[in-house]
Amino acid sequence: MRISWITAAAILVSAQASAGLEQGLATCSAKADKLDRLICYDTLAGSVKSAPKVTSDATAISVTSVAAVSKAQTVTATGTTVPANIEDEFGRAGIKKDQEEADKEINKIYLDVDSIKKDVYGSLKISFTNGQVWKQSDSKRFKLAAGQTVYIEKGAFGAFYLGVKERNSTIKVKRLK
């Protein structure tokens, strides 16, 4: 019987806490000024950090958790205003870009190879002179040497391909560092 009361109290308190947290998040997201929004989120996160962990004592759960909920609900609400540029950017990723935006986007970079290692599966791990580290993610054979200049270009669906100007082949790579 006592366990069911403890469970019921814990469920009630957690439902109140999540409702207060959702209301606080909605309030913070409605702020138009970036700094005010950040301060609001930091205040809300501070109140969540101070919320106690669930223990087996039902009175301690209800008293301390209700105090944390009331602290989270003290965030003042303001009018909900959405900046106009958010609506302009919504869904724009699928629209073709004009020439100026397409020119700004980087699709290919050239890098100098610093060192090359192979893992136990034969995949290349390539370190570049600028500190980047990329790893081969397909099983093709590809010869590289330290000091060689290579390019990495964007592919479809977020893929990246490494190639050498002198050859007409590429390998699929992913960035590690």
Side-chain angles (χ1 to χ4, degrees):
M1 180 73 174
R2 185 166 191 238
I3 293 175
S4 63
W5 280 106
I6 292 172
T7 306
I11 291 172
L12 178 66
V13 169
S14 66
Q16 290 175 348
S18 67
L21 184 62
E22 288 174 5
Q23 181 183 6
L25 287 172
T27 302
C28 291
S29 66
K31 294 188 181 280
D33 185 37
K34 293 177 184 177
L35 182 59
D36 290 341
R37 189 169 47 247
L38 179 62
I39 291 170
C40 181
Y41 282 132
D42 286 344
T43 306
L44 191 60
S47 68
V48 171
K49 284 182 187 175
S50 66
K53 304 291 183 226
V54 176
T55 62
S56 62
D57 187 54
T59 57
I61 293 171
S62 61
V63 171
T64 54
S65 296
V66 170
V69 170
S70 63
K71 188 187 292 185
Q73 289 178 347
T74 58
V75 179
T76 59
T78 59
T80 58
T81 58
V82 178
N85 60 355
I86 289 177
E87 292 174 354
D88 292 340
E89 295 300 318
F90 182 76
R92 189 175 170 97
I95 297 176
K96 290 184 180 179
K97 298 175 182 166
D98 62 356
Q99 189 61 35
E100 183 178 316
E101 289 176 345
D103 290 342
K104 288 180 185 178
E105 188 174 321
I106 298 173
N107 291 321
K108 188 183 229 183
I109 59 171
Y110 289 88
L111 302 166
D112 294 323
V113 177
D114 186 36
S115 66
I116 303 163
K117 296 180 183 174
K118 280 190 177 183
D119 66 2
V120 294
Y121 302 108
S123 296
L124 300 175
K125 185 176 178 183
I126 307 153
S127 298
F128 294 101
T129 55
N130 67 352
Q132 292 183 9
V133 179
W134 292 73
K135 183 178 180 182
Q136 180 181 3
S137 59
D138 62 8
S139 60
K140 291 182 184 177
R141 292 179 54 107
F142 199 83
K143 288 191 178 190
L144 282 177
Q148 193 172 11
T149 301
V150 298
Y151 65 86
I152 299 177
E153 64 182 346
K154 285 185 181 180
F157 302 115
F160 292 94
Y161 295 95
L162 180 139
V164 181
K165 208 173 198 178
E166 295 82 28
R167 279 187 273 173
N168 191 21
S169 67
T170 59
I171 57 172
K172 190 173 181 181
V173 291
K174 68 177 181 177
R175 186 170 176 178
L176 300 178
K177 179 179 170 189

